[in-house]
Amino acid sequence: MLEIKGVNSFYGKAHVLNDLSFGVERGQVVALLGRNGAGKTTTMKSVMQLVVPQTGSVTYQDQTITRLQPHKVAKMGIGYVPEERRIFTDLTVVENLEVGRQPAREGTVTWNEDMLFDMFPNLAERRSNRGKELSGGEQQMLTIARTLMGNPSLILLDEPSEGIAPVIVEEMARVILKLKDEGLTVLLSEQNLHFAQAVADHVVIIESGTAKYQGTMSELQANPDIRDTYLSV
């Protein structure tokens, strides 16, 4: 579904992604792992073309999306949930969801508010609250729900477990597995290996903007040397 091939991305003169290559198969949950500063967020932004790769290509469903405008990438069926959440704090939960609404897309789930409130009971209880009145975990849920209103086939989750209470982390894992059951493909970046182990089928470990390891989650769990080399603090 998604192929990143030989991507080099920069912030000014800082070379962040260095010939990065990996793929995501349809229906997989793939965890992009690595230490802080490894290039995980830049990878997400390079897929969305918020950071435009200087060289290399990003292909989505056999179509090259490199150098497309980000809103056109989104309209092709890629949803992006940034780490910063970026909800509309003065809008209610329902109003935030309406902002994300896009037309139905062939071959994908067509989400509506009732379906999302079933998935996120906390949001159902606070549907009339403004975004600024929600907890950090609830804001994270709202960002995911708003993204789903765009009916994506592929959803990018940047550090979904970061900075939220443990009980909400468990809820987030349940949601990701539910999305997989609904046929969505998920690429998530994580530093929390325990969380990634709970949801991911496949792992890509990056260091200094390069893919150092790719394999199944079970293969990684059986390889402590890889974990110690690339993921230990």
Side-chain angles (χ1 to χ4, degrees):
M1 173 169 274
L2 179 72
E3 183 180 19
I4 296 170
K5 188 172 182 180
V7 163
N8 288 273
S9 293
F10 293 73
Y11 291 116
K13 293 183 179 181
H15 193 172
V16 181
L17 299 185
N18 188 0
D19 288 330
L20 180 65
S21 298
F22 68 91
V24 178
E25 299 294 332
R26 186 180 303 276
Q28 281 187 330
V29 177
V30 176
L32 189 62
L33 302 177
R35 298 185 179 96
N36 190 36
K40 301 185 300 297
T41 293
T42 305
T43 300
M44 298 283 187
K45 291 182 175 180
S46 295
V47 172
M48 291 304 300
Q49 303 304 302
L50 294 165
V51 173
V52 180
Q54 287 198 12
T55 59
S57 64
V58 180
T59 305
Y60 171 65
Q61 298 195 124
D62 299 323
Q63 297 183 65
T64 299
I65 61 174
T66 320
R67 295 177 182 82
L68 282 183
Q69 293 178 313
H71 73 273
K72 291 183 178 179
V73 175
K75 285 186 176 181
M76 292 177 70
I78 302 180
Y80 175 47
V81 180
E83 183 181 359
E84 313 88 67
R85 299 168 187 147
R86 295 184 183 177
I87 62 168
F88 294 95
T89 55
D90 288 329
L91 299 183
T92 67
V93 167
V94 170
E95 289 168 341
N96 266 277
L97 294 181
E98 283 301 313
V99 168
R101 186 185 294 276
Q102 289 192 41
R105 210 183 304 275
E106 185 177 353
T108 66
V109 178
T110 301
W111 297 89
N112 59 46
E113 291 169 4
D114 289 340
M115 294 166 64
L116 292 169
F117 286 146
D118 283 344
M119 181 176 285
F120 299 101
N122 293 45
L123 297 184
E125 295 172 4
R126 310 201 68 182
R127 67 182 70 198
S128 298
N129 287 83
R130 298 187 185 280
K132 61 187 175 185
E133 298 169 342
L134 306 181
S135 70
E138 289 167 341
Q139 290 182 358
Q140 183 74 297
M141 291 177 182
L142 179 55
T143 309
I144 294 173
R146 184 185 64 191
T147 302
L148 291 173
M149 285 291 284
N151 306 316
S153 299
L154 167 66
I155 188 166
L156 312 179
L157 303 175
D158 194 3
E159 302 281 2
S161 72
E162 179 69 19
I164 58 178
V167 65
I168 303 298
V169 172
E170 293 180 9
E171 183 75 2
M172 201 66 66
R174 180 191 65 80
V175 166
I176 291 171
L177 293 174
K178 174 68 173 175
L179 296 180
K180 181 184 176 182
D181 288 343
E182 294 287 352
L184 270 75
T185 306
V186 180
L187 174 63
L188 63 97
S189 71
E190 263 300 333
Q191 291 190 66
N192 184 337
L193 179 59
H194 178 72
F195 180 82
Q197 288 171 334
V199 299
D201 309 301
H202 194 84
V203 177
V204 179
I205 297 177
I206 66 172
E207 183 177 82
S208 301
T210 301
K212 297 294 188 179
Y213 174 86
Q214 300 184 50
T216 66
M217 180 58 78
S218 59
E219 289 169 344
L220 177 63
Q221 290 172 318
N223 197 330
D225 290 343
I226 293 292
R227 297 200 306 272
D228 291 345
T229 299
Y230 296 115
L231 301 177
S232 61
V233 176

